Amino acid sequence: MHRDSTIHHALEHLFRHESGRLVSILTRVFGPHNLGLAEDVVQDTLLEAMNSWKIRGIPRDAPAWLFTVARNKALDLIRKEKRHRDIVSVQSHLLESEYTLAPAVDELMKSRSIQDDQLSMMFTCCHPSLSAESQVALVLKTLCGFSVAEIAKAFISTPDTIEKRLYRAKEKFRQEKIAFEIPGENELDARLENVLLAIYLLFNEGYNSTDHEDLIRKDLLEESLRLGELLLQNAVTRKPPVYALLALFCFNSARSKARIDNQGNILLLKDQDRNLWDRSLISSGEQWLDKSAEGELFSAYHFEAAISREHLVAKSYDQTNWELILYYYDLLLRARPSPVVALNRAVVIGEMKGPAAGLEAIEKIPGIDGLQNYYLFHAIIGEFYAKLGNREQANEYFAKAKELTSSEKEKQLLVSKMQKE
C-alpha cells in the first residue's frame, strides 16, 4: 500500500509538471485542432506509467520515460489511423511513409525548445476567437494539469459548465484550424492578459488548495512561478504586468510558513507570527515590483502586489495602513471590476469603520448574486455578524460557508468559529 501511495504521489507531481510540457509538444505534432488527441495521448501515457511503475518501480529519469512513451503512442496513432492527413505541419508529407514517419515525429517533438512550445501553447489557448473564460480554462486544463473541479472553483462555477466550455473551445480549434504560435505584437497584449490570469489562478489554487489534503500546494506555487519566469525569458512577453504578477506571488508566498499552526490549522493574517515570514521572498518581491514600474503600463497585478506588500510592511496587524490599502482596492476595482474584488474591499472598510459598515459595503456590491456560491462571501458576512455579537446569524453564515467549501482545513476553521461563544 505504501509503495502504491508513493507511486501515486510521484505521478501526481509529474502530472502537474510534465503534462503541460507533453501536451504542448504533442499539440505541435498533431495541430491545435487535435488538442483532444494530444490530451488523450498524455492521459494514456500517465496511465501506463501508473501500471508499469507499480511493478518495476519509478525510473531514474521519469520525465524522459514519459516523453518516450508519449512519442511511441503518437507514432502508433498516426500509423493505425492514418492521422497524418489531419495534421497541419510543414513535415506532414513525411508522415505518410513508414520510412520517414519516426524521424519526422522525432524532429517535430525535438526541433524547438520545450519553453518555446509552452509559450506557444499558452498563447494558442488564448486565441481571440475563444471567450475569455474558455481561454483561461484551456490554459489551466492543458498546461497546468487542473481538474475540471479545480477550474470550476477558480471561476466560482460548476463542473458541468466548465466541461461545456472546454468542449466548445476544442470545437473552435477544429473548425478554425488555429495556428500553434506566439502572436505578433498587435495581438500579444490582449492574449497576454488571459495567459497571466491563468497563471494567477494556478497560484491561487496552490496558495489555498481546493480538494487536496494540504492547504498549501508547494508544487503549484513553484509551477506558477516557473511559468511566470518563462514569460520573462522571452523578450516579446517581458512586460510590466508579468513582473507585477511575480511580485504578488513572492509577497503572498512569503507568508506560507505562518499560515498553518503545528496542528495543521489555518491561521488568519492577524494571528500569524510575522517572524516566520520569508524575508528573502519579500526582498525578491520588492525587486520584481520595482521592475514592474518601468514603463507606463499598470495592471490589476500592480495594485494587488501593492496591497500584499502593504500587509507585509506593517509591524503588526493593528498597525496596518488600511487607508492606503483601501486606496489600492479602489484602483484595483477600476482596473478589474468584479464582485470578489468588491467583497475584499468591503473587508477593508469593516476594518476601518466597523462590521456594520462592512456589511453595508457588501450590500452595495454590483452583481452580488454571483457570490452566493462563493464560500468566502458567507464566511465574511458571518465574521461581521460575530463581531456585532449576533452569534445566531453569524453561525448560519458560517454553516453555509462550510457547505460550499471542499477544503477540510477551511471546514475546520469554520467549525472553530461556530463553536466560539
Side-chain angles (χ1 to χ4, degrees):
M1 179 65 96
H2 176 70
R3 179 186 173 86
D4 287 352
S5 176
T6 301
I7 291 171
H8 176 77
H9 284 299
L11 197 60
E12 182 183 34
H13 177 80
L14 280 164
F15 179 76
R16 291 291 190 184
H17 285 75
E18 302 299 331
S19 66
R21 295 178 173 94
L22 290 173
V23 169
S24 299
I25 293 168
L26 290 169
T27 299
R28 180 151 54 85
V29 174
F30 295 134
H33 59 294
N34 285 317
L35 175 58
L37 186 63
E39 290 181 309
D40 289 344
V41 170
V42 173
Q43 288 291 344
D44 288 347
T45 299
L46 293 168
L47 182 61
E48 184 168 329
M50 176 68 83
N51 294 331
S52 175
W53 295 357
K54 283 180 181 177
I55 300 169
R56 301 175 185 174
I58 300 173
R60 183 174 298 176
D61 191 345
W65 189 99
L66 292 171
F67 181 94
T68 300
V69 171
R71 175 255 190 199
N72 292 338
K73 288 183 181 296
L75 281 171
D76 288 343
L77 266 173
I78 296 170
R79 285 193 185 103
K80 292 176 182 177
E81 301 183 28
K82 305 296 183 185
R83 295 305 293 253
H84 57 268
R85 294 187 179 88
D86 298 328
I87 294 174
V88 177
S89 164
V90 293
Q91 302 191 61
S92 59
H93 65 284
L94 297 176
L95 305 180
E96 298 178 12
S97 166
E98 185 62 33
Y99 294 105
T100 56
L101 173 60
V105 169
D106 286 343
E107 181 63 23
L108 282 168
M109 293 184 74
K110 297 178 181 178
S111 61
R112 296 196 318 183
S113 72
I114 291 174
Q115 288 81 4
D116 285 344
D117 280 332
Q118 287 189 286
L119 277 178
S120 294
M121 191 72 206
M122 286 187 204
F123 286 96
T124 299
C125 288
C126 293
H127 193 275
S129 67
L130 306 177
S131 69
E133 294 84 359
S134 294
Q135 292 175 27
V136 177
L138 268 179
V139 174
L140 291 174
K141 182 74 167 59
T142 60
L143 267 169
C144 305
F146 262 41
S147 68
V148 170
E150 288 170 332
I151 299 172
K153 186 239 185 180
F155 280 105
I156 316 177
S157 186
T158 65
D160 185 56
T161 298
I162 299 302
E163 287 278 14
K164 291 176 181 175
R165 194 172 289 167
L166 290 167
Y167 174 78
R168 286 195 294 268
K170 291 174 188 177
E171 281 297 301
K172 275 280 187 184
F173 279 177
R174 275 193 284 270
Q175 293 165 6
E176 299 190 14
K177 297 291 179 72
I178 289 170
F180 185 75
E181 62 185 5
I182 299 174
E185 189 68 31
N186 291 339
E187 288 186 34
L188 185 74
D189 286 343
R191 291 209 215 178
L192 180 61
E193 186 175 341
N194 285 330
V195 167
L196 293 179
L197 178 57
I199 300 172
Y200 172 77
L201 293 174
L202 172 66
F203 179 88
N204 285 349
E205 177 61 24
Y207 188 74
N208 201 54
S209 185
T210 311
D211 296 310
H212 201 269
E213 60 187 15
D214 298 322
L215 176 73
I216 300 170
R217 299 283 305 278
K218 188 178 178 183
D219 58 333
L220 300 191
L221 299 183
E222 290 174 350
E223 183 69 0
S224 56
L225 278 166
R226 187 189 71 79
L227 291 174
E229 289 173 352
L230 187 63
L231 291 168
L232 293 181
Q233 291 170 19
N234 189 306
V236 176
T237 57
R238 195 180 300 134
K239 303 278 188 175
V242 182
Y243 287 110
L245 184 65
L246 287 169
L248 175 63
F249 289 170
C250 288
F251 289 148
N252 286 349
S253 295
R255 295 193 285 111
S256 292
K257 290 181 181 178
R259 291 179 58 221
I260 300 175
D261 67 15
N262 294 332
Q263 288 73 47
N265 301 310
I266 296 175
L267 290 175
L268 300 177
L269 181 61
K270 63 182 177 182
D271 301 317
Q272 291 173 15
D273 181 352
R274 296 178 179 231
N275 293 319
L276 296 177
W277 290 354
D278 190 324
R279 299 297 159 184
S280 64
L281 274 174
I282 295 173
S283 177
S284 295
E286 296 276 12
Q287 292 174 31
W288 291 129
L289 194 58
D290 287 344
K291 290 288 291 182
S292 77
E294 297 176 3
E296 299 178 359
L297 182 60
F298 282 86
S299 66
Y301 302 115
H302 285 83
F303 306 128
E304 284 203 58
I307 291 167
S308 186
R309 179 187 178 278
E310 202 57 40
H311 285 298
L312 292 168
V313 299
K315 292 183 179 179
S316 68
Y317 189 79
D318 291 338
Q319 292 177 281
T320 302
N321 189 339
W322 295 110
E323 289 82 1
L324 184 54
I325 290 176
L326 180 62
Y327 170 72
Y328 288 138
Y329 264 115
D330 288 339
L331 294 175
L332 176 59
L333 201 54
R334 268 186 267 169
R336 184 188 289 156
S338 82
V340 173
V341 173
L343 179 65
N344 291 333
R345 179 180 178 276
V347 173
V348 177
I349 290 174
E351 292 288 347
M352 292 173 58
K353 302 179 180 180
L359 286 170
E360 184 179 349
I362 289 176
E363 290 172 2
K364 294 178 180 178
I365 294 176
I368 193 171
D369 289 344
L371 294 173
Q372 294 302 320
N373 291 323
Y374 185 41
Y375 88 97
L376 278 177
F377 172 70
H378 300 278
I380 288 168
I381 293 176
E383 189 68 26
F384 282 147
Y385 276 116
K387 288 179 178 178
L388 288 169
N390 189 337
R391 293 303 314 179
E392 183 178 353
Q393 201 151 11
N395 285 348
E396 287 179 8
Y397 279 99
F398 289 144
K400 180 63 176 177
K402 182 172 174 286
E403 288 177 12
L404 290 171
T405 180
S406 54
S407 167
E408 290 302 319
K409 301 295 185 186
E410 288 167 353
K411 289 180 188 291
Q412 291 170 16
L413 176 62
L414 290 162
V415 167
S416 70
K417 289 180 176 293
M418 292 165 68
Q419 291 173 344
K420 286 184 178 179
E421 294 298 328

